[in-house]
Amino acid sequence: MKSHHHPTSQVISYELEASIFSWEIAEGKTVEAWGFNNQLPGPLLRARKGDTLEVKVKNNLPEPTMIHWHGIRLPASMDGTGEVQKPIEPGEEFTYRFVVPDAGTFWYHSHANETFQMERGMYGGLIVEEGTALVTDGEKVFLLDDMKLTAENEFTKPGWFIPRIMERHDGREGDTLLINGKENPTISIAGGQAERWRFINASSARYIQLYLGGKEFKIIGTDGGLLEHPQTVTQVLLTPGERIEIIAGPFTEGESFLIETLPYNRMTFLKAKRQTFATIQVGAQKPSVAYIPQILRKIEPLAEKEAPVSRKLKLSVGPSLKHGMDFLVNGDVHTSDQPVKVGELQVWEVANSSLMDHPFHLHGFFFQVIEENGEAPDYIAWKDTYNLPPRSRIKIAWMPDDRPGEWMYHCHILEHHAAGMMAHFEVV
Ligand code: C2O
Ligand code: CU
């Protein structure tokens, strides 16, 4: 990338070509992937806050596709859903063009036939860099995923009634864990270094209880960029669609540990297990220049915990003769919601009355969770995806800035989204 004397006037151009190709996830283990530029994940896109991103997408798949820029506050017409654009037909192309107004860890993914296309690899990372006091010794971006494969490394088919119902209920989870398209690779970091690691959960349904062999790490950012203060933890939950940025290290020369997911019980038929994403190998010691400030940035709360609720959403699961079960928003599948007005603060209560977890995702806008089950949160963060455990309730605040058009929210377990847990609404 060129130098950035006038970052807000930069236009960064990329080309993504969607096609089917073979991809080696481990030595001798090849899958028939669907993805971008013959790689899985697709190319990592990078820009600076304020740049214009221009991405030409060519569709060489046998079916239509569209690209959604998860987390980016872009114009409605660029959101990549069927409500705002015609799908890109096989052999055709479409150029997405928008400013990236916020720094953070984002991603792009197919928003057409998602349960099929995303499962096969139609996703990639998008990093928007900030100007900040934070200095680290390096950076890594990790896209986490899983695949459900047969012994012949083919994607399993939906199958007969019971497995189909189970997949609809649990979402599609497979035992083949991938980190940047590979099964348990060895990743190195020099001893003594503190690096910025950005994690993106690109899986269909897997809840990742991220764990680095018991080592402490600092969470510095979530979906919408940096937090106010670093949070020191040994594990963190990353649900489908969510992002987390951490400071990893310093580690000691010669040591080795795993990036794992600990079991997270979300009431699925298939039992949650502890599983490995990657092996970290710590190399020769190097001097560090890292500087992690105690205040990463200021985040103004959008509303008080007591702010009056302007809208109530209820996520639920109900019986269905045809499908076994339906996934509902306010009692309906694939529904539409009332419009919201530009400049009018939204305070929504989102209640999950079902007995399973749902990661709630709002397109195009960030929200703050201002209350969870009656309690104020520990800290304020900008989010676009947030998990609701069974029988839980959150209050979110968000501001519809001046980007009128059709938007949506949905559960980011792709099978739940497809089974109806979504709603459109208009910003007017
Ligand atoms: Cu990443 Cu409509 O979603
Ligand atoms: Cu769900």
Side-chain angles (χ1 to χ4, degrees):
M1 222 159 46
K2 288 168 270 163
S3 76
H4 288 279
H5 289 294
H6 305 284
T8 54
S9 61
Q10 280 281 359
V11 178
I12 315 267
S13 302
Y14 286 103
E15 285 188 19
L16 297 178
E17 189 182 318
S19 68
I20 304 177
F21 53 92
S22 19
W23 180 253
E24 196 173 63
I25 55 177
E27 233 186 272
K29 194 167 172 185
T30 299
V31 298
E32 188 181 76
W34 290 39
F36 302 99
N37 299 9
N38 297 314
Q39 63 181 86
L40 199 171
L44 182 64
L45 312 185
R46 268 186 195 274
R48 280 204 174 181
K49 181 176 162 157
D51 286 348
T52 298
L53 208 57
E54 197 181 69
V55 189
K56 188 204 273 183
V57 179
K58 173 102 209 286
N59 182 7
N60 283 337
L61 297 170
E63 65 177 44
T65 194
M66 282 176 286
I67 309 303
H68 171 55
W69 310 89
H70 185 128
I72 304 286
R73 291 191 302 136
L74 37 62
S77 60
M78 293 289 119
D79 197 40
T81 67
E83 277 56 49
V84 297
Q85 78 166 102
K86 285 210 307 290
I88 313 170
E89 295 295 328
E92 294 189 350
E93 56 188 46
F94 181 85
T95 301
Y96 295 89
R97 196 174 204 277
F98 49 86
V99 171
V100 288
D102 306 290
T105 304
F106 304 102
W107 61 304
Y108 58 95
H109 63 76
S110 157
H111 217 279
N113 195 12
E114 287 161 56
T115 53
F116 187 96
Q117 294 188 8
M118 284 179 69
E119 166 72 357
R120 280 158 182 73
M122 294 276 289
Y123 61 78
L126 165 51
I127 304 304
V128 183
E129 290 159 3
E130 69 269 274
T132 169
L134 179 72
V135 180
T136 60
D137 297 312
E139 181 181 301
K140 291 181 172 53
V141 181
F142 296 121
L143 284 109
L144 306 179
D145 190 10
D146 62 3
M147 283 177 174
K148 192 171 173 183
L149 304 172
T150 65
E152 290 73 43
N153 301 322
E154 278 166 8
F155 291 90
T156 63
K157 302 272 166 1
W160 57 291
F161 194 69
I162 298 294
R164 198 159 69 228
I165 294 293
M166 279 172 63
E167 196 166 297
R168 193 177 170 91
H169 177 281
D170 289 5
R172 187 179 167 96
E173 261 193 42
D175 272 341
T176 304
L177 266 59
L178 301 178
I179 183 164
N180 294 340
K182 298 286 176 192
E183 235 185 332
N184 193 9
T186 298
I187 294 165
S188 45
I189 176 172
Q193 304 277 282
E195 290 191 344
R196 182 178 192 163
W197 289 2
R198 304 174 186 256
F199 291 92
I200 301 167
N201 184 344
S203 72
S204 304
R206 178 174 290 268
Y207 277 47
I208 297 163
Q209 187 73 32
L210 189 69
Y211 188 69
L212 305 180
K215 296 185 180 308
E216 282 190 342
F217 54 89
K218 290 191 178 74
I219 302 174
I220 57 164
T222 56
D223 301 343
L226 295 174
L227 295 177
E228 205 161 83
H229 304 287
Q231 308 287 327
T232 301
V233 298
T234 54
Q235 50 180 279
V236 62
L237 178 65
L238 189 64
T239 68
E242 280 191 300
R243 286 86 67 207
I244 200 96
E245 297 183 19
I246 68 166
I247 300 295
F251 305 117
T252 312
E253 178 172 345
E255 71 176 328
S256 149
F257 58 93
L258 303 175
I259 300 182
E260 287 175 283
T261 173
L262 297 181
Y264 175 90
N265 179 10
R266 59 180 182 92
M267 310 291 174
T268 45
F269 289 114
L270 297 174
K271 215 172 140 30
K273 287 182 290 198
R274 179 172 181 168
Q275 283 174 280
T276 298
F277 279 104
T279 304
I280 301 292
Q281 185 63 53
V282 184
Q285 207 77 7
K286 267 198 191 164
S288 173
V289 295
Y291 169 67
I292 322 297
Q294 265 319 297
I295 297 180
L296 296 160
R297 70 159 166 179
K298 259 337 256 172
I299 298 182
E300 295 302 332
L302 267 185
E304 306 266 280
K305 168 173 171 279
E306 292 74 25
V309 170
S310 57
R311 181 172 301 189
K312 288 189 177 185
L313 315 183
K314 193 175 93 179
L315 312 180
S316 66
V317 177
S320 148
L321 279 180
K322 201 162 149 220
H323 302 117
M325 72 196 89
D326 276 334
F327 288 76
L328 313 154
V329 173
N330 291 341
D332 216 343
V333 290
H334 301 283
T335 186
S336 56
D337 202 345
Q338 297 303 308
V340 305
K341 287 211 182 83
V342 168
E344 268 183 16
L345 178 74
Q346 301 297 305
V347 180
W348 292 6
E349 181 188 282
V350 188
N352 174 10
S353 70
S354 76
L355 295 174
M356 58 182 101
D357 290 62
H358 303 287
F360 174 83
H361 171 47
L362 175 64
H363 275 219
F365 300 86
F366 292 120
F367 56 80
Q368 294 177 349
V369 175
I370 57 173
E371 194 211 286
E372 183 161 2
N373 301 319
E375 308 283 332
D378 295 342
Y379 54 89
I380 295 284
W382 289 110
K383 295 290 292 172
D384 56 53
T385 309
Y386 195 84
N387 188 52
L388 281 105
R391 303 252 185 246
S392 68
R393 191 176 53 77
I394 57 174
K395 228 161 111 177
I396 63 171
W398 66 280
M399 181 57 86
D401 55 67
D402 196 6
R403 288 174 298 126
E406 283 290 330
W407 298 98
M408 67 164 71
Y409 54 81
H410 60 83
C411 173
H412 219 286
I413 290 178
L414 303 181
E415 288 69 22
H416 295 178
H417 178 192
M421 195 172 272
M422 62 89 62
H424 308 283
F425 66 96
E426 205 183 342
V427 171
V428 293

